[in-house]
Amino acid sequence: MDFARLAEFIAIIDAGSIAQAATKLNLSAATLSHRLRQFEQTLGFKLFKRNHTRMELTAEGYYFYQDALRISQHYRAIKQAMHQATE
């Protein structure tokens, strides 16, 4: 699992758009959009339905988002525990 792409996916949803998420992540919207498409290819399903003016989660994207939040929280907890263990 690419945790950086997972975090970007969550950021897109939290921000409400690729452009706003890209700004918060200090990336260009084009870069973030490209990474999202690659992430979708890796996963094997589309996370968003795209049209000219907006994006909305697919059913798969909705369920993946719920799991993504749990995975992200667990990953952060593991990183923190490992950091504390090495101090």
Side-chain angles (χ1 to χ4, degrees), residues 1-35:
M1 173 64 63
D2 189 334
F3 293 103
R5 299 299 81 82
L6 187 71
E8 291 169 354
F9 167 64
I10 293 169
I12 291 167
I13 295 171
D14 290 347
S17 74
I18 288 177
Q20 290 176 347
T23 298
K24 290 180 181 181
L25 296 169
N26 296 317
L27 298 169
S28 72
T31 296
L32 187 55
S33 181
H34 179 73
R35 288 180 179 180

PDB file of all heavy atoms in Angstrom, residues 1-35:
ATOM      1  N   MET A   1       0.849  -1.177   0.000  1.00  0.00           N
ATOM      2  CA  MET A   1       0.000   0.000   0.000  1.00  0.00           C
ATOM      3  C   MET A   1       0.891   1.235   0.000  1.00  0.00           C
ATOM      4  O   MET A   1       1.824   1.331   0.788  1.00  0.00           O
ATOM      5  CB  MET A   1      -0.891  -0.016   1.242  1.00  0.00           C
ATOM      6  CG  MET A   1      -1.708   1.237   1.466  1.00  0.00           C
ATOM      7  SD  MET A   1      -2.946   1.647   0.218  1.00  0.00           S
ATOM      8  CE  MET A   1      -4.055   0.282   0.332  1.00  0.00           C
ATOM      9  N   ASP A   2       0.608   2.141  -0.878  1.00  0.00           N
ATOM     10  CA  ASP A   2       1.339   3.402  -0.956  1.00  0.00           C
ATOM     11  C   ASP A   2       0.639   4.404  -0.048  1.00  0.00           C
ATOM     12  O   ASP A   2      -0.388   4.979  -0.394  1.00  0.00           O
ATOM     13  CB  ASP A   2       1.360   3.896  -2.409  1.00  0.00           C
ATOM     14  CG  ASP A   2       2.272   5.082  -2.601  1.00  0.00           C
ATOM     15  OD1 ASP A   2       2.501   5.834  -1.634  1.00  0.00           O
ATOM     16  OD2 ASP A   2       2.739   5.272  -3.733  1.00  0.00           O
ATOM     17  N   PHE A   3       1.198   4.588   1.140  1.00  0.00           N
ATOM     18  CA  PHE A   3       0.563   5.437   2.138  1.00  0.00           C
ATOM     19  C   PHE A   3       0.538   6.906   1.744  1.00  0.00           C
ATOM     20  O   PHE A   3      -0.365   7.640   2.147  1.00  0.00           O
ATOM     21  CB  PHE A   3       1.222   5.236   3.505  1.00  0.00           C
ATOM     22  CG  PHE A   3       0.968   3.871   4.060  1.00  0.00           C
ATOM     23  CD1 PHE A   3       1.949   2.896   4.012  1.00  0.00           C
ATOM     24  CD2 PHE A   3      -0.262   3.543   4.606  1.00  0.00           C
ATOM     25  CE1 PHE A   3       1.711   1.623   4.508  1.00  0.00           C
ATOM     26  CE2 PHE A   3      -0.512   2.278   5.107  1.00  0.00           C
ATOM     27  CZ  PHE A   3       0.479   1.313   5.055  1.00  0.00           C
ATOM     28  N   ALA A   4       1.486   7.336   0.930  1.00  0.00           N
ATOM     29  CA  ALA A   4       1.475   8.727   0.451  1.00  0.00           C
ATOM     30  C   ALA A   4       0.273   8.951  -0.467  1.00  0.00           C
ATOM     31  O   ALA A   4      -0.413   9.973  -0.366  1.00  0.00           O
ATOM     32  CB  ALA A   4       2.773   9.048  -0.275  1.00  0.00           C
ATOM     33  N   ARG A   5      -0.001   8.006  -1.354  1.00  0.00           N
ATOM     34  CA  ARG A   5      -1.160   8.145  -2.246  1.00  0.00           C
ATOM     35  C   ARG A   5      -2.461   8.044  -1.456  1.00  0.00           C
ATOM     36  O   ARG A   5      -3.432   8.729  -1.748  1.00  0.00           O
ATOM     37  CB  ARG A   5      -1.155   7.074  -3.342  1.00  0.00           C
ATOM     38  CG  ARG A   5       0.043   7.069  -4.290  1.00  0.00           C
ATOM     39  CD  ARG A   5       0.261   8.337  -5.113  1.00  0.00           C
ATOM     40  NE  ARG A   5       0.934   9.405  -4.427  1.00  0.00           N
ATOM     41  CZ  ARG A   5       2.260   9.522  -4.253  1.00  0.00           C
ATOM     42  NH1 ARG A   5       3.088   8.639  -4.738  1.00  0.00           N
ATOM     43  NH2 ARG A   5       2.759  10.554  -3.608  1.00  0.00           N
ATOM     44  N   LEU A   6      -2.476   7.186  -0.439  1.00  0.00           N
ATOM     45  CA  LEU A   6      -3.647   7.066   0.414  1.00  0.00           C
ATOM     46  C   LEU A   6      -3.936   8.401   1.104  1.00  0.00           C
ATOM     47  O   LEU A   6      -5.086   8.857   1.127  1.00  0.00           O
ATOM     48  CB  LEU A   6      -3.426   5.962   1.448  1.00  0.00           C
ATOM     49  CG  LEU A   6      -4.611   5.597   2.317  1.00  0.00           C
ATOM     50  CD1 LEU A   6      -5.658   4.865   1.497  1.00  0.00           C
ATOM     51  CD2 LEU A   6      -4.150   4.728   3.478  1.00  0.00           C
ATOM     52  N   ALA A   7      -2.900   9.033   1.621  1.00  0.00           N
ATOM     53  CA  ALA A   7      -3.056  10.333   2.279  1.00  0.00           C
ATOM     54  C   ALA A   7      -3.535  11.397   1.288  1.00  0.00           C
ATOM     55  O   ALA A   7      -4.351  12.258   1.639  1.00  0.00           O
ATOM     56  CB  ALA A   7      -1.746  10.763   2.929  1.00  0.00           C
ATOM     57  N   GLU A   8      -3.057  11.336   0.064  1.00  0.00           N
ATOM     58  CA  GLU A   8      -3.501  12.287  -0.961  1.00  0.00           C
ATOM     59  C   GLU A   8      -4.975  12.086  -1.290  1.00  0.00           C
ATOM     60  O   GLU A   8      -5.724  13.058  -1.445  1.00  0.00           O
ATOM     61  CB  GLU A   8      -2.640  12.169  -2.213  1.00  0.00           C
ATOM     62  CG  GLU A   8      -1.226  12.655  -2.006  1.00  0.00           C
ATOM     63  CD  GLU A   8      -0.286  12.306  -3.137  1.00  0.00           C
ATOM     64  OE1 GLU A   8      -0.666  11.581  -4.084  1.00  0.00           O
ATOM     65  OE2 GLU A   8       0.882  12.757  -3.082  1.00  0.00           O
ATOM     66  N   PHE A   9      -5.403  10.838  -1.391  1.00  0.00           N
ATOM     67  CA  PHE A   9      -6.814  10.538  -1.638  1.00  0.00           C
ATOM     68  C   PHE A   9      -7.682  11.130  -0.530  1.00  0.00           C
ATOM     69  O   PHE A   9      -8.683  11.802  -0.799  1.00  0.00           O
ATOM     70  CB  PHE A   9      -6.995   9.022  -1.740  1.00  0.00           C
ATOM     71  CG  PHE A   9      -8.417   8.552  -1.683  1.00  0.00           C
ATOM     72  CD1 PHE A   9      -9.324   8.897  -2.675  1.00  0.00           C
ATOM     73  CD2 PHE A   9      -8.856   7.747  -0.640  1.00  0.00           C
ATOM     74  CE1 PHE A   9     -10.647   8.451  -2.634  1.00  0.00           C
ATOM     75  CE2 PHE A   9     -10.159   7.296  -0.591  1.00  0.00           C
ATOM     76  CZ  PHE A   9     -11.058   7.649  -1.589  1.00  0.00           C
ATOM     77  N   ILE A  10      -7.290  10.931   0.707  1.00  0.00           N
ATOM     78  CA  ILE A  10      -8.033  11.481   1.843  1.00  0.00           C
ATOM     79  C   ILE A  10      -8.031  13.008   1.780  1.00  0.00           C
ATOM     80  O   ILE A  10      -9.059  13.648   2.015  1.00  0.00           O
ATOM     81  CB  ILE A  10      -7.445  10.967   3.177  1.00  0.00           C
ATOM     82  CG1 ILE A  10      -7.693   9.459   3.311  1.00  0.00           C
ATOM     83  CG2 ILE A  10      -8.045  11.724   4.363  1.00  0.00           C
ATOM     84  CD1 ILE A  10      -6.931   8.801   4.443  1.00  0.00           C
ATOM     85  N   ALA A  11      -6.893  13.593   1.437  1.00  0.00           N
ATOM     86  CA  ALA A  11      -6.788  15.056   1.345  1.00  0.00           C
ATOM     87  C   ALA A  11      -7.725  15.617   0.274  1.00  0.00           C
ATOM     88  O   ALA A  11      -8.320  16.684   0.468  1.00  0.00           O
ATOM     89  CB  ALA A  11      -5.349  15.469   1.062  1.00  0.00           C
ATOM     90  N   ILE A  12      -7.862  14.921  -0.838  1.00  0.00           N
ATOM     91  CA  ILE A  12      -8.762  15.376  -1.905  1.00  0.00           C
ATOM     92  C   ILE A  12     -10.198  15.423  -1.391  1.00  0.00           C
ATOM     93  O   ILE A  12     -10.919  16.404  -1.606  1.00  0.00           O
ATOM     94  CB  ILE A  12      -8.654  14.470  -3.149  1.00  0.00           C
ATOM     95  CG1 ILE A  12      -7.291  14.647  -3.814  1.00  0.00           C
ATOM     96  CG2 ILE A  12      -9.786  14.768  -4.149  1.00  0.00           C
ATOM     97  CD1 ILE A  12      -6.959  13.579  -4.845  1.00  0.00           C
ATOM     98  N   ILE A  13     -10.604  14.404  -0.696  1.00  0.00           N
ATOM     99  CA  ILE A  13     -11.968  14.374  -0.165  1.00  0.00           C
ATOM    100  C   ILE A  13     -12.145  15.449   0.896  1.00  0.00           C
ATOM    101  O   ILE A  13     -13.131  16.190   0.894  1.00  0.00           O
ATOM    102  CB  ILE A  13     -12.300  12.978   0.383  1.00  0.00           C
ATOM    103  CG1 ILE A  13     -12.306  11.980  -0.765  1.00  0.00           C
ATOM    104  CG2 ILE A  13     -13.655  12.991   1.112  1.00  0.00           C
ATOM    105  CD1 ILE A  13     -12.395  10.549  -0.345  1.00  0.00           C
ATOM    106  N   ASP A  14     -11.186  15.552   1.806  1.00  0.00           N
ATOM    107  CA  ASP A  14     -11.283  16.548   2.875  1.00  0.00           C
ATOM    108  C   ASP A  14     -11.321  17.974   2.329  1.00  0.00           C
ATOM    109  O   ASP A  14     -12.048  18.818   2.844  1.00  0.00           O
ATOM    110  CB  ASP A  14     -10.128  16.400   3.859  1.00  0.00           C
ATOM    111  CG  ASP A  14     -10.222  15.125   4.698  1.00  0.00           C
ATOM    112  OD1 ASP A  14     -11.300  14.474   4.694  1.00  0.00           O
ATOM    113  OD2 ASP A  14      -9.223  14.780   5.342  1.00  0.00           O
ATOM    114  N   ALA A  15     -10.538  18.231   1.284  1.00  0.00           N
ATOM    115  CA  ALA A  15     -10.466  19.573   0.707  1.00  0.00           C
ATOM    116  C   ALA A  15     -11.644  19.866  -0.214  1.00  0.00           C
ATOM    117  O   ALA A  15     -11.990  21.020  -0.447  1.00  0.00           O
ATOM    118  CB  ALA A  15      -9.156  19.750  -0.056  1.00  0.00           C
ATOM    119  N   GLY A  16     -12.231  18.834  -0.782  1.00  0.00           N
ATOM    120  CA  GLY A  16     -13.360  19.019  -1.670  1.00  0.00           C
ATOM    121  C   GLY A  16     -13.023  19.103  -3.141  1.00  0.00           C
ATOM    122  O   GLY A  16     -13.917  19.103  -3.983  1.00  0.00           O
ATOM    123  N   SER A  17     -11.736  19.167  -3.453  1.00  0.00           N
ATOM    124  CA  SER A  17     -11.324  19.204  -4.854  1.00  0.00           C
ATOM    125  C   SER A  17      -9.838  18.893  -4.958  1.00  0.00           C
ATOM    126  O   SER A  17      -9.089  19.041  -3.991  1.00  0.00           O
ATOM    127  CB  SER A  17     -11.601  20.575  -5.478  1.00  0.00           C
ATOM    128  OG  SER A  17     -10.679  21.533  -5.007  1.00  0.00           O
ATOM    129  N   ILE A  18      -9.447  18.512  -6.164  1.00  0.00           N
ATOM    130  CA  ILE A  18      -8.028  18.267  -6.414  1.00  0.00           C
ATOM    131  C   ILE A  18      -7.242  19.561  -6.286  1.00  0.00           C
ATOM    132  O   ILE A  18      -6.166  19.588  -5.685  1.00  0.00           O
ATOM    133  CB  ILE A  18      -7.821  17.617  -7.794  1.00  0.00           C
ATOM    134  CG1 ILE A  18      -8.300  16.161  -7.758  1.00  0.00           C
ATOM    135  CG2 ILE A  18      -6.359  17.677  -8.225  1.00  0.00           C
ATOM    136  CD1 ILE A  18      -8.210  15.421  -9.062  1.00  0.00           C
ATOM    137  N   ALA A  19      -7.777  20.636  -6.819  1.00  0.00           N
ATOM    138  CA  ALA A  19      -7.054  21.922  -6.786  1.00  0.00           C
ATOM    139  C   ALA A  19      -6.792  22.372  -5.357  1.00  0.00           C
ATOM    140  O   ALA A  19      -5.670  22.788  -5.016  1.00  0.00           O
ATOM    141  CB  ALA A  19      -7.836  22.981  -7.547  1.00  0.00           C
ATOM    142  N   GLN A  20      -7.801  22.295  -4.501  1.00  0.00           N
ATOM    143  CA  GLN A  20      -7.617  22.731  -3.114  1.00  0.00           C
ATOM    144  C   GLN A  20      -6.685  21.800  -2.357  1.00  0.00           C
ATOM    145  O   GLN A  20      -5.848  22.253  -1.568  1.00  0.00           O
ATOM    146  CB  GLN A  20      -8.968  22.835  -2.419  1.00  0.00           C
ATOM    147  CG  GLN A  20      -9.802  23.993  -2.925  1.00  0.00           C
ATOM    148  CD  GLN A  20     -11.185  24.037  -2.296  1.00  0.00           C
ATOM    149  OE1 GLN A  20     -11.623  23.087  -1.656  1.00  0.00           O
ATOM    150  NE2 GLN A  20     -11.879  25.148  -2.496  1.00  0.00           N
ATOM    151  N   ALA A  21      -6.815  20.498  -2.601  1.00  0.00           N
ATOM    152  CA  ALA A  21      -5.917  19.543  -1.945  1.00  0.00           C
ATOM    153  C   ALA A  21      -4.483  19.754  -2.408  1.00  0.00           C
ATOM    154  O   ALA A  21      -3.548  19.707  -1.603  1.00  0.00           O
ATOM    155  CB  ALA A  21      -6.363  18.115  -2.238  1.00  0.00           C
ATOM    156  N   ALA A  22      -4.305  20.003  -3.700  1.00  0.00           N
ATOM    157  CA  ALA A  22      -2.959  20.227  -4.238  1.00  0.00           C
ATOM    158  C   ALA A  22      -2.308  21.431  -3.570  1.00  0.00           C
ATOM    159  O   ALA A  22      -1.122  21.384  -3.217  1.00  0.00           O
ATOM    160  CB  ALA A  22      -3.026  20.420  -5.753  1.00  0.00           C
ATOM    161  N   THR A  23      -3.068  22.479  -3.384  1.00  0.00           N
ATOM    162  CA  THR A  23      -2.535  23.669  -2.715  1.00  0.00           C
ATOM    163  C   THR A  23      -2.077  23.327  -1.302  1.00  0.00           C
ATOM    164  O   THR A  23      -0.973  23.697  -0.890  1.00  0.00           O
ATOM    165  CB  THR A  23      -3.599  24.789  -2.674  1.00  0.00           C
ATOM    166  OG1 THR A  23      -3.927  25.146  -4.017  1.00  0.00           O
ATOM    167  CG2 THR A  23      -3.097  26.011  -1.931  1.00  0.00           C
ATOM    168  N   LYS A  24      -2.898  22.597  -0.569  1.00  0.00           N
ATOM    169  CA  LYS A  24      -2.549  22.219   0.806  1.00  0.00           C
ATOM    170  C   LYS A  24      -1.340  21.285   0.852  1.00  0.00           C
ATOM    171  O   LYS A  24      -0.585  21.305   1.821  1.00  0.00           O
ATOM    172  CB  LYS A  24      -3.739  21.570   1.491  1.00  0.00           C
ATOM    173  CG  LYS A  24      -4.849  22.541   1.788  1.00  0.00           C
ATOM    174  CD  LYS A  24      -6.012  21.862   2.473  1.00  0.00           C
ATOM    175  CE  LYS A  24      -7.112  22.884   2.731  1.00  0.00           C
ATOM    176  NZ  LYS A  24      -8.259  22.296   3.422  1.00  0.00           N
ATOM    177  N   LEU A  25      -1.179  20.475  -0.188  1.00  0.00           N
ATOM    178  CA  LEU A  25      -0.073  19.514  -0.233  1.00  0.00           C
ATOM    179  C   LEU A  25       1.167  20.067  -0.932  1.00  0.00           C
ATOM    180  O   LEU A  25       2.155  19.357  -1.107  1.00  0.00           O
ATOM    181  CB  LEU A  25      -0.534  18.233  -0.939  1.00  0.00           C
ATOM    182  CG  LEU A  25      -1.647  17.446  -0.248  1.00  0.00           C
ATOM    183  CD1 LEU A  25      -2.187  16.361  -1.176  1.00  0.00           C
ATOM    184  CD2 LEU A  25      -1.151  16.845   1.061  1.00  0.00           C
ATOM    185  N   ASN A  26       1.091  21.327  -1.350  1.00  0.00           N
ATOM    186  CA  ASN A  26       2.197  21.972  -2.076  1.00  0.00           C
ATOM    187  C   ASN A  26       2.562  21.212  -3.352  1.00  0.00           C
ATOM    188  O   ASN A  26       3.733  20.992  -3.655  1.00  0.00           O
ATOM    189  CB  ASN A  26       3.427  22.146  -1.179  1.00  0.00           C
ATOM    190  CG  ASN A  26       3.172  23.080  -0.031  1.00  0.00           C
ATOM    191  OD1 ASN A  26       2.563  24.133  -0.201  1.00  0.00           O
ATOM    192  ND2 ASN A  26       3.601  22.694   1.154  1.00  0.00           N
ATOM    193  N   LEU A  27       1.534  20.822  -4.085  1.00  0.00           N
ATOM    194  CA  LEU A  27       1.696  20.144  -5.369  1.00  0.00           C
ATOM    195  C   LEU A  27       0.904  20.898  -6.419  1.00  0.00           C
ATOM    196  O   LEU A  27       0.007  21.674  -6.082  1.00  0.00           O
ATOM    197  CB  LEU A  27       1.138  18.710  -5.301  1.00  0.00           C
ATOM    198  CG  LEU A  27       1.779  17.736  -4.339  1.00  0.00           C
ATOM    199  CD1 LEU A  27       0.934  16.479  -4.220  1.00  0.00           C
ATOM    200  CD2 LEU A  27       3.180  17.391  -4.820  1.00  0.00           C
ATOM    201  N   SER A  28       1.196  20.647  -7.668  1.00  0.00           N
ATOM    202  CA  SER A  28       0.334  21.184  -8.715  1.00  0.00           C
ATOM    203  C   SER A  28      -0.895  20.283  -8.821  1.00  0.00           C
ATOM    204  O   SER A  28      -0.844  19.098  -8.495  1.00  0.00           O
ATOM    205  CB  SER A  28       1.060  21.237 -10.062  1.00  0.00           C
ATOM    206  OG  SER A  28       1.214  19.937 -10.588  1.00  0.00           O
ATOM    207  N   ALA A  29      -1.990  20.857  -9.279  1.00  0.00           N
ATOM    208  CA  ALA A  29      -3.210  20.071  -9.465  1.00  0.00           C
ATOM    209  C   ALA A  29      -2.972  18.968 -10.489  1.00  0.00           C
ATOM    210  O   ALA A  29      -3.484  17.854 -10.337  1.00  0.00           O
ATOM    211  CB  ALA A  29      -4.359  20.976  -9.885  1.00  0.00           C
ATOM    212  N   ALA A  30      -2.187  19.256 -11.520  1.00  0.00           N
ATOM    213  CA  ALA A  30      -1.893  18.260 -12.551  1.00  0.00           C
ATOM    214  C   ALA A  30      -1.140  17.070 -11.952  1.00  0.00           C
ATOM    215  O   ALA A  30      -1.440  15.911 -12.271  1.00  0.00           O
ATOM    216  CB  ALA A  30      -1.102  18.880 -13.689  1.00  0.00           C
ATOM    217  N   THR A  31      -0.174  17.338 -11.091  1.00  0.00           N
ATOM    218  CA  THR A  31       0.591  16.264 -10.452  1.00  0.00           C
ATOM    219  C   THR A  31      -0.313  15.416  -9.574  1.00  0.00           C
ATOM    220  O   THR A  31      -0.276  14.183  -9.634  1.00  0.00           O
ATOM    221  CB  THR A  31       1.748  16.844  -9.613  1.00  0.00           C
ATOM    222  OG1 THR A  31       2.657  17.502 -10.488  1.00  0.00           O
ATOM    223  CG2 THR A  31       2.470  15.763  -8.827  1.00  0.00           C
ATOM    224  N   LEU A  32      -1.147  16.067  -8.770  1.00  0.00           N
ATOM    225  CA  LEU A  32      -2.031  15.330  -7.881  1.00  0.00           C
ATOM    226  C   LEU A  32      -3.045  14.506  -8.681  1.00  0.00           C
ATOM    227  O   LEU A  32      -3.321  13.357  -8.345  1.00  0.00           O
ATOM    228  CB  LEU A  32      -2.737  16.283  -6.917  1.00  0.00           C
ATOM    229  CG  LEU A  32      -3.576  15.629  -5.825  1.00  0.00           C
ATOM    230  CD1 LEU A  32      -2.765  14.625  -5.008  1.00  0.00           C
ATOM    231  CD2 LEU A  32      -4.171  16.693  -4.919  1.00  0.00           C
ATOM    232  N   SER A  33      -3.572  15.071  -9.746  1.00  0.00           N
ATOM    233  CA  SER A  33      -4.516  14.357 -10.597  1.00  0.00           C
ATOM    234  C   SER A  33      -3.857  13.122 -11.214  1.00  0.00           C
ATOM    235  O   SER A  33      -4.448  12.037 -11.252  1.00  0.00           O
ATOM    236  CB  SER A  33      -5.046  15.281 -11.689  1.00  0.00           C
ATOM    237  OG  SER A  33      -5.965  14.614 -12.507  1.00  0.00           O
ATOM    238  N   HIS A  34      -2.634  13.282 -11.684  1.00  0.00           N
ATOM    239  CA  HIS A  34      -1.889  12.161 -12.274  1.00  0.00           C
ATOM    240  C   HIS A  34      -1.661  11.065 -11.234  1.00  0.00           C
ATOM    241  O   HIS A  34      -1.848   9.872 -11.510  1.00  0.00           O
ATOM    242  CB  HIS A  34      -0.562  12.666 -12.840  1.00  0.00           C
ATOM    243  CG  HIS A  34       0.277  11.588 -13.429  1.00  0.00           C
ATOM    244  ND1 HIS A  34      -0.013  10.974 -14.627  1.00  0.00           N
ATOM    245  CD2 HIS A  34       1.409  10.990 -12.967  1.00  0.00           C
ATOM    246  CE1 HIS A  34       0.900  10.053 -14.878  1.00  0.00           C
ATOM    247  NE2 HIS A  34       1.779  10.043 -13.882  1.00  0.00           N
ATOM    248  N   ARG A  35      -1.253  11.462 -10.030  1.00  0.00           N
ATOM    249  CA  ARG A  35      -1.025  10.484  -8.970  1.00  0.00           C
ATOM    250  C   ARG A  35      -2.309   9.751  -8.611  1.00  0.00           C
ATOM    251  O   ARG A  35      -2.296   8.548  -8.338  1.00  0.00           O
ATOM    252  CB  ARG A  35      -0.454  11.167  -7.733  1.00  0.00           C
ATOM    253  CG  ARG A  35       0.976  11.610  -7.893  1.00  0.00           C
ATOM    254  CD  ARG A  35       1.447  12.268  -6.632  1.00  0.00           C
ATOM    255  NE  ARG A  35       2.824  12.697  -6.725  1.00  0.00           N
ATOM    256  CZ  ARG A  35       3.486  13.311  -5.749  1.00  0.00           C
ATOM    257  NH1 ARG A  35       2.889  13.566  -4.599  1.00  0.00           N
ATOM    258  NH2 ARG A  35       4.733  13.669  -5.914  1.00  0.00           N
TER     259      ARG A  35
END
